[in-house]
């Protein structure tokens, strides 16, 4: 993939994420202004910044303990550690993320922390199912989240969601106060303000999900650039989708099962992500020669 094509795709992804982020910020400040005027606007902004600063101070080790993870030392998974170190160097991270093993049979991996204190967790199910090539795509994807500061951005986005739920409580109180006043012909609070307060959580939820989907596409692009092998991540995603849906047994389930609309999902559809990655594949040259890597063994875990 040429540098111009990469920058163009990166710019489009960043532009979408920035637009969503500004919309959420404007909504939050607007809610503060609706309640207390200019003073409410200032308080909403101040509380958001203070809480964000506190949330980013939580250590990655503490978060991993919460999920039941334990450190995965290089001696236990030397090839995986070597792979992670190379990907982190290519991404320009100041520190190689710490690996954590989660004794869970689900197929999952997630990143936490910051660029200075990064960590990536991998479940037992993922290690038992995925080969090293597939893991390279998954690790590159999680490293991309760390590199792009997505973890900090997601913390801020979650704060917006919490604040809007808090504001909606005032909207409900104002609604109960407004109805009797309306029927008595007295002066009432603006119905537009009440509607905004009540609908805010729903609007922010839709924005949060759109923001998350945008960051996933961006991380996929960065992962393809780090490995030079978009098909590695595409194959891994298809494997994750297959097993997490129940494998071949899922083929016999009723087609009437409830499906979550894309607009309410925090991740894009797997088929859409795979399609994008397959289309990118001809533009890249794989950066790993897997024939030179020794077979992986996880029995030591």
């Amino acid at each position: 993939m040429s540098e111009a094509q990469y920058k163009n795709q990166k710019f489009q992804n960043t532009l979408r994420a920035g637009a969503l982020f500004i919309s959420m910020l404007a909504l939050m400040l607007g809610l503060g202004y609706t309640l207390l005027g200019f003073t409410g606007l200032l308080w909403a902004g101040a509380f958001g910044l203070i809480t964000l600063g506190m949330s980013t101070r939580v250590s990655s080790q503490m978060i991993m303990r919460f999920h039941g993870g334990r450190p995965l030392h290089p001696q236990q998974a030397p090839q995986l550690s070597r792979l992670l170190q190379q990907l982190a160097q290519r991404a320009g991270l100041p520190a190689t993320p710490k690996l954590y093993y989660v004794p869970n049979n689900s197929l999952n991996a997630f990143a936490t922390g910051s660029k200075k204190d990064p960590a990536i967790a991998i479940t037992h199910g993922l290690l038992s199912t995925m080969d090293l090539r597939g893991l390279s795509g998954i690790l590159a994807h999680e490293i991309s989240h760390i590199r792009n500061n997505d973890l900090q951005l997601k913390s801020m986005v979650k704060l917006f969601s919490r604040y809007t739920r808090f504001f909606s409580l005032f909207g409900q109180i104002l609604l109960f106060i407004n109805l009797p006043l309306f029927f008595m012909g007295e002066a009432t609070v603006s119905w537009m303000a009440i509607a905004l307060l009540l609908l805010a959580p729903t609007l922010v939820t839709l924005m949060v999900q759109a923001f998350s989907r945008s960051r996933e596409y961006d991380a996929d692009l960065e992962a393809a650039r780090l490995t030079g092998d978009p098909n590695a991540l595409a194959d891994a995603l298809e494997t994750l989708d297959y097993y997490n849906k129940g494998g071949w047994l899922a083929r016999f389930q009723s087609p009437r099962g409830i499906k979550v609309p894309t607009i309410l999902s925090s991740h894009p559809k797997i088929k859409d992500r795979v399609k994008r990655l397959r289309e990118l594949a001809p533009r890249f040259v794989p950066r790993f020669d897997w024939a030179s890597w020794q077979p992986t063994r996880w029995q030591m875990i």
Side-chain angles (χ1 to χ4, degrees):
M1 188 179 197
S2 69
E3 190 68 21
Q5 290 174 322
Y6 168 76
K7 288 184 177 180
N8 180 57
Q9 186 68 47
K10 181 77 172 176
F11 175 76
Q12 292 181 13
N13 292 341
T14 303
L15 191 63
R16 284 193 292 267
L20 289 166
F21 183 77
I22 292 173
S23 298
M24 286 183 282
L25 179 60
L27 177 60
M28 181 177 170
L29 296 178
L31 291 171
Y33 183 80
T34 299
L35 286 174
L36 299 172
F38 185 72
T39 302
L41 186 148
L42 293 178
W43 276 107
F47 275 121
L49 292 175
I50 293 173
T51 310
L52 176 65
M54 295 176 62
S55 66
T56 55
R57 294 182 181 274
V58 180
S59 69
S60 59
Q61 185 177 6
M62 183 179 299
I63 296 175
M64 289 300 179
R65 285 181 180 177
F66 175 79
H67 288 281
R70 61 173 184 261
L72 184 58
H73 300 291
Q75 296 84 354
Q76 296 174 291
Q79 297 287 64
L80 196 62
S81 298
R82 174 188 167 195
L83 174 62
L84 182 63
Q85 185 177 20
Q86 290 189 16
L87 290 172
Q89 289 176 349
R90 290 178 186 174
L93 295 183
T96 300
K98 299 176 183 176
L99 264 179
Y100 282 81
Y101 167 76
V102 180
N104 190 305
N105 288 327
S106 65
L107 274 66
N108 191 24
F110 62 90
T112 187
S114 62
K115 286 184 179 181
K116 295 181 180 180
D117 181 34
I120 296 177
I122 300 181
T123 63
H124 176 79
L126 190 63
L127 286 174
S128 302
T129 306
M130 202 72 62
D131 60 14
L132 198 59
R133 178 171 175 260
L135 288 173
S136 72
I138 293 174
L139 288 176
H141 178 89
E142 298 304 330
I143 285 176
S144 297
H145 278 310
I146 297 172
R147 179 188 181 188
N148 295 335
N149 292 316
D150 287 345
L151 307 178
Q152 283 70 37
L153 291 174
K154 287 181 179 180
S155 295
M156 179 174 285
V157 166
K158 288 180 181 179
L159 290 176
F160 288 150
S161 180
R162 292 173 186 172
Y163 280 128
T164 51
R165 285 197 294 268
F166 175 73
F167 285 138
S168 70
L169 294 176
F170 285 96
Q172 296 175 33
I173 294 173
L174 290 176
L175 178 63
F176 284 111
I177 294 175
N178 225 32
L179 285 174
L181 293 175
F182 175 77
F183 288 115
M184 290 187 297
E186 300 290 339
T188 60
V189 180
S190 169
W191 288 106
M192 184 66 70
I194 293 176
L196 179 61
L197 290 169
L198 293 176
L199 293 175
T202 301
L203 293 175
V204 167
T205 297
L206 295 177
M207 290 179 184
V208 167
Q209 306 299 43
F211 175 84
S212 297
R213 292 194 299 272
S214 175
R215 303 315 294 170
E216 289 301 316
Y217 281 133
D218 208 13
D220 285 349
L221 176 62
E222 290 283 352
R225 187 174 173 83
L226 290 176
T227 63
D229 189 5
N231 282 324
L233 179 56
D235 293 342
L237 288 173
E238 288 181 332
T239 301
L240 291 175
D241 189 48
Y242 177 79
Y243 281 97
N244 287 335
K245 283 185 177 179
W248 65 272
L249 289 176
R251 300 176 183 271
F252 297 93
Q253 293 177 354
S254 170
R256 297 180 180 180
I258 299 175
K259 295 183 178 181
V260 179
T262 302
I263 194 173
L264 298 177
S265 175
S266 62
H267 284 62
K269 290 183 179 179
I270 294 294
K271 65 177 183 180
D272 292 337
R273 295 174 65 186
V274 169
K275 180 182 178 182
R276 289 193 178 201
L277 288 166
R278 300 287 189 209
E279 291 173 349
L280 286 173
R283 306 177 188 177
F284 287 88
V285 176
R287 305 181 67 178
F288 287 103
D289 178 14
W290 298 114
S292 64
W293 291 63
Q294 297 176 1
T296 56
R297 295 184 179 180
W298 314 115
Q299 287 84 346
M300 295 178 62
I301 298 174

